[in-house]
Amino acid sequence: MLKLDPTNIDLGTLRRLWTGEAGSLDDASMQRVAESAAAVDRIVAGGETVYGINTGFGSLANTRIPPERLAELQTNLILSHSAGLGDPLPRHVTRLMIILKLLGLGRGHSGVRPVVIEALQRLLDTNAMPVIPSQGSVGASGDLAPLAHLIAALMGYGRIDVAGDTVAAGEALQRIAIDPLQLGPKEGLALINGTQASAALALDALFMGERVFAAAIAAGAMSVDALKGSAKPFDPRISALRGQPGQIRVAAAIHGLLEGSEILTSHIACSRVQDPYSFRCQPQVMGASLDLLQNAARTLTIEAGAVTDNPIVFAPDENNGSDTAISGGNFHAQPVAFAADIIAIALCEVGSISERRVSVLVDPKMSGLPAFLTEDSGVNSGLMIPQVTAAALVSENKSLAFPASVDSIPTSAGQEDHVSMAPIAARKAAQIARNAAGVIAVELMAGAEGIDYHAPLKTSAKLQKVYDGVRAHSPHFTADRYWADEMSALQSAVLAGEIGAQGVALD
């Protein structure tokens, strides 16, 4: 099990957690949690009025709550905010959301007791994922509804998916041998204020996108060979003169994939001067997308270990002589919203340029290959309609790529008058990643068919591995057949990271 230090989280660790590795907070984090909880106890005992500890919430922040009703306040907060709708979040996203919540609480500025950490960890250890509706958060004041559903489940409300069996939360808690959680002062607010739902969704889109990007590089290189295109645009000297880091990496990756191809060397002296932009401008387009994805990765890595609830508790230390709770705005998910929209835009272009290469390969006037990559065209339609599907997915992605982060709508009687729309941005980015994977699947099919038409010439050793990965799901065809299952299998292979280039990871 990974021991997690929220003050030192990196992208590689988050990727491992996303893929299912187990993790828990380290001892230093648990010590900070205990110290922060003690600070809240002292604040309550001192009678100071502090938002969220002994006041109402949102526009009711000026309403003082008597000590005997503080537990009721926190319980009502969770129940009243459990108001989401829509399909449940995927289990792996819920799991990552819980881990991110633990990381934020583990910084020791939220005021929750160690027993809360233990309850959340128990969900992870027993593979018990609360059923959390995907809609209902505007990304400020935190992801209120999704996180409320998470905590409500620990209190015995709602439903929990225990290793694939969804049951009432109360029954699930009995199965995993924990008592319903009783919240103390501030704990309800600490648990539902935060950006963890948005960040988990955005990281899911990012890591899917990383795999889609790697597959797109491999598909693009194979399409160059299928077209008998030129490798000159991938000369490192060209990209070095521009200096964009993503472009340099992509050019090197494609150049490396093509190295050693018999197909490539067979036409060095041909009369073709230039290839279409979708082939020769891959370093420029894909490189820019890679730079955007890396920028988003930096933002989300920082956010994963951030304190994003409110108010933030500061226990006494050498710089702070007394217990302090400060109301701020770290719950506002604007950084996550921008990152998610950047992921969406980058992956939209990855799919767009891929579909253009498919269009070239199936067009005999452009590629010199048989129409729709079938010899008996007319009777057979070949890859005509798979290209149409790719075009449809690209156009859908264009609509989804409109930034959610530029939108805002006031909530809570105007108190929360500017919001981020981060969860909406992140959900759209994830759908764009899945759609782009479908586009890449079609290009992989087209590229493999194009390679076949150049036999007995062979592609490079690296591209042969890509080709073999494609053929494991989609054999060479000589006549029309039912395409959907093969396309879906290749799309799944892309999303699973089974097909892709090396050297283009985000870290």
Side-chain angles (χ1 to χ4, degrees), residues 234-367:
F234 315 119
D235 187 313
R237 294 173 294 181
I238 296 174
S239 294
L241 285 173
R242 193 168 198 180
Q244 297 290 351
Q247 177 179 330
I248 292 169
R249 289 181 66 192
V250 169
I254 296 176
H255 188 274
L257 286 166
L258 289 167
E259 191 171 12
S261 168
E262 294 178 1
I263 299 171
L264 183 66
T265 57
S266 73
H267 60 89
I268 288 178
C270 72
S271 60
R272 182 185 296 171
V273 177
Q274 292 181 332
D275 296 325
Y277 287 0
S278 57
F279 289 78
R280 62 183 164 107
C281 294
Q282 289 184 76
Q284 290 76 16
V285 176
M286 296 293 285
S289 295
L290 179 58
D291 287 339
L292 287 182
L293 291 173
Q294 286 192 295
N295 189 31
R298 284 190 291 271
T299 296
L300 294 177
T301 301
I302 293 169
E303 192 74 6
V307 179
T308 58
D309 67 276
N310 186 61
I312 293 174
V313 177
F314 295 90
D317 57 24
E318 63 273 13
N319 300 314
N320 177 42
S322 61
D323 297 304
T324 307
I326 303 176
S327 287
N330 278 5
F331 51 73
H332 201 296
Q334 200 70 47
V336 180
F338 284 151
D341 279 336
I342 286 171
I343 294 167
I345 292 167
L347 295 179
C348 184
E349 284 304 286
V350 168
S352 179
I353 196 170
S354 171
E355 183 278 328
R356 287 293 80 203
R357 291 191 295 268
V358 175
S359 180
V360 169
L361 291 179
V362 300
D363 183 347
K365 299 187 297 296
M366 296 291 289
S367 68

Side-chain angles (χ1 to χ4, degrees), residues 134-146 198 331-334 337 404 407-412 416 418-425 427:
S134 58
Q135 295 173 299
S137 173
V138 294
S141 166
D143 292 312
L144 297 172
S198 296
F331 51 73
H332 201 296
Q334 200 70 47
D407 184 28
S408 181
I409 189 169
T411 61
S412 192
E416 298 160 7
H418 184 278
V419 298
S420 72
M421 301 301 181
I424 298 170
R427 290 203 315 274

